[in-house]
Amino acid sequence: MKVNMLDLSEQYKVLKDEIIESLDSVMSSSQFILGDNVKKLESNVAEYSNTTNGIGVANGSDAIHIALQAAGIKTGDEVITTSFTFFATGGAIVRAGATPVYVDIDPITFNIDPTKIEAAITDKTKAIIPVHLYGQMADMEAIKAIADKYKIIIIEDAAQAIGSRQNGKTVGEIGTAATYSFFPTKNLGAYGDAGMIITNNDELAEQARVIRVHGSKPKYYHHVLGYNSRLDEMQAAILNVKFSHLEKWSDDRRRHAAVYTKLLNEKLSDVIQTPIVKEGNHHVFHQYTLRVPNRDDLQRFLKEQGIATMIYYPMPLHLQPVFEDLGYVEGDLLETEKAAKEAISLPMYPELPREHQEYVVKKIVEFYS
Ligand SMILES: *Cc1c(COP(=O)(O)O)cnc(C)c1O
């Protein structure tokens, strides 16, 4: 049997007619940039996130960068974040001119550990970027309490967590702003690159709208340095079709996660650690990630059995060569470094067949026995 990490073709089969129709209407209208499809997506996603503004941009990395810049983050500022994330989180901070300050993670959720944030705050700290890794929100109430105490802002990197909730609050409701990625493999995926900033802060939203069009306002007059970072109409048209399915897809992901957890814990509960959903969290399982011993051997074995797995992420940001100047060394963030050696993500997507899940679990059990 061949088991892929994800398979987008099943979904396309179901949506094909609607998507082709929506693309045809964009091409017939000849409105390709910042038209009605982008507006509709912005308002749908903002409303879904209990926020008043959605600003479509070219990708999720630009969304973080533009949100930081729109919030006034600049050269010399420090931004606290997690090292256990995709490169873009740290990259966006540096691109905004600021310095990333990496804080260790909570081993239970893999998200930034709020109890370690205060020690990292200096008089240069201007923002915290929690990343809601794998689809589970970081502890936003604790992070908000710290942000309020020190008068710093929160930009939530919600690239993996659209639809995620915590104690009744959605992504972006507590933070100053949140950012989404619509990269094809994300829970709401375009057929190319796309991203969005959502926020209740009208001033930040207005700045972000200006920055995504070269800082132009009124047209051809530039008071801030922006660049070209727009979500285009074709991607928005596709995303509008997909958006109405998102809640169901998240439910399907949660159902698959429950199946994996049940089957794995029947046989291996004292060998591996299945994902832990903290009380009050509504996890959308962008990834289903285990902690395991002999991780690399397990991955090799599964590959030989036709099963794809992924390591998110094998090298934490504080140890990346490009950030060498920041001065971190191995041993600085122990929980992060441990997670980078133990984490492995199993195939996960809404259409994942039950037989694939059973086969994956059977092979993992075989490996450890
Ligand atoms: C995917 C991702 C991004 C970047 O999004 P792109 O759309 O690929 O630029 C940023 N942060 C995290 C945590 C991500 O998973």
Side-chain angles (χ1 to χ4, degrees):
M1 196 185 295
K2 177 140 175 46
V3 181
N4 295 318
M5 205 49 206
L6 87 169
D7 180 353
L8 295 170
S9 65
E10 285 303 313
Q11 193 179 84
Y12 183 58
K13 276 183 210 153
V14 177
L15 303 178
K16 187 171 181 170
D17 292 344
E18 257 184 292
I19 284 179
I20 288 177
E21 200 181 310
S22 74
L23 288 175
D24 180 58
S25 86
V26 173
M27 289 182 278
S28 304
S29 77
S30 298
Q31 170 74 49
F32 297 109
I33 303 292
L34 298 182
D36 290 343
N37 284 287
V38 171
K39 280 204 193 80
K40 182 176 166 195
L41 184 71
E42 287 176 338
S43 79
N44 279 341
V45 171
E47 189 190 347
Y48 181 66
S49 314
N50 286 331
T51 53
T52 47
N53 298 280
I55 304 98
V57 295
N59 54 68
S61 309
D62 279 6
I64 306 168
H65 178 192
I66 293 175
L68 287 169
Q69 196 187 335
I73 304 302
K74 56 184 185 320
T75 306
D77 294 343
E78 288 177 0
V79 177
I80 290 174
T81 191
T82 164
S83 172
F84 197 55
T85 177
F86 179 57
F87 174 76
T89 318
I93 295 169
V94 176
R95 284 204 291 147
T99 305
V101 175
Y102 295 115
V103 165
D104 213 355
I105 55 167
D106 167 2
I108 303 286
T109 61
F110 298 98
N111 286 324
I112 192 166
D113 183 344
T115 67
K116 295 186 177 147
I117 292 176
E118 261 188 291
I121 290 178
T122 72
D123 51 10
K124 291 180 181 162
T125 308
K126 293 290 156 53
I128 305 172
I129 304 186
V131 179
H132 306 314
L133 203 69
Y134 306 144
Q136 173 163 227
M137 282 172 71
D139 185 347
M140 288 305 294
E141 280 159 39
I143 294 167
K144 173 78 165 130
I146 297 165
D148 285 350
K149 181 172 167 190
Y150 293 92
K151 299 194 167 35
I152 52 190
I153 62 158
I154 304 170
I155 306 288
E156 301 172 53
D157 180 347
Q160 304 187 2
I162 191 165
S164 196
R165 298 187 274 276
Q166 184 167 72
N167 299 323
K169 293 243 160 75
T170 68
V171 161
E173 229 180 315
I174 293 179
T176 313
T179 61
Y180 292 128
S181 164
F182 305 125
F183 186 78
T185 60
K186 298 285 155 84
N187 286 23
L188 180 62
Y191 290 158
D193 281 306
M196 194 176 289
I197 301 159
I198 50 151
T199 179
N200 279 314
N201 183 319
D202 295 342
E203 206 179 313
L204 190 155
E206 180 53 24
Q207 275 297 101
R209 282 191 193 100
V210 171
I211 292 168
R212 76 174 167 182
V213 289
H214 302 281
S216 176
K217 194 199 176 186
K219 207 167 185 182
Y220 305 124
Y221 290 83
H222 304 259
H223 297 277
V224 297
L225 185 66
Y227 33 86
N228 177 356
S229 181
R230 295 172 297 234
L231 198 169
D232 75 64
E233 282 286 297
M234 302 269 263
Q235 298 305 338
I238 292 161
L239 289 165
N240 279 326
V241 171
K242 289 190 163 199
F243 177 74
S244 56
H245 301 272
L246 180 60
E247 271 293 308
K248 184 195 170 288
W249 288 339
S250 297
D251 288 344
D252 292 342
R253 287 172 181 273
R254 261 196 305 283
R255 209 159 28 78
H256 301 328
V259 168
Y260 270 141
T261 297
K262 178 168 177 293
L263 296 178
L264 286 165
N265 283 337
E266 272 167 16
K267 297 276 170 53
L268 295 171
S269 62
D270 42 9
V271 183
I272 66 172
Q273 177 62 62
T274 51
I276 301 167
V277 183
K278 272 209 171 163
E279 206 187 317
N281 278 354
H282 178 84
H283 194 320
V284 291
F285 286 99
H286 173 59
Q287 298 297 340
Y288 183 87
T289 304
L290 303 170
R291 270 182 195 271
V292 300
N294 303 323
R295 194 259 323 265
D296 294 343
D297 290 339
L298 172 67
Q299 184 175 45
R300 216 169 296 125
F301 173 79
L302 292 175
K303 191 175 174 203
E304 284 159 16
Q305 311 298 317
I307 299 168
T309 56
M310 291 293 280
I311 309 301
Y312 302 116
Y313 295 91
M315 183 181 271
L317 299 196
H318 72 285
L319 300 177
Q320 293 286 352
V322 70
F323 293 134
E324 202 182 303
D325 291 351
L326 297 173
Y328 291 93
V329 293
E330 208 163 335
D332 282 345
L333 301 175
L334 289 174
E335 289 297 347
T336 299
E337 291 164 28
K338 187 160 180 276
K341 293 188 176 79
E342 294 180 348
I344 183 166
S345 300
L346 303 184
M348 172 58 84
Y349 55 99
E351 301 79 11
L352 178 66
R354 174 74 179 239
E355 314 82 74
H356 285 202
Q357 290 196 273
E358 284 165 2
Y359 180 69
V360 171
V361 172
K362 185 170 147 228
K363 291 297 168 182
I364 294 174
V365 171
E366 202 176 300
F367 176 80
Y368 287 107
S369 56

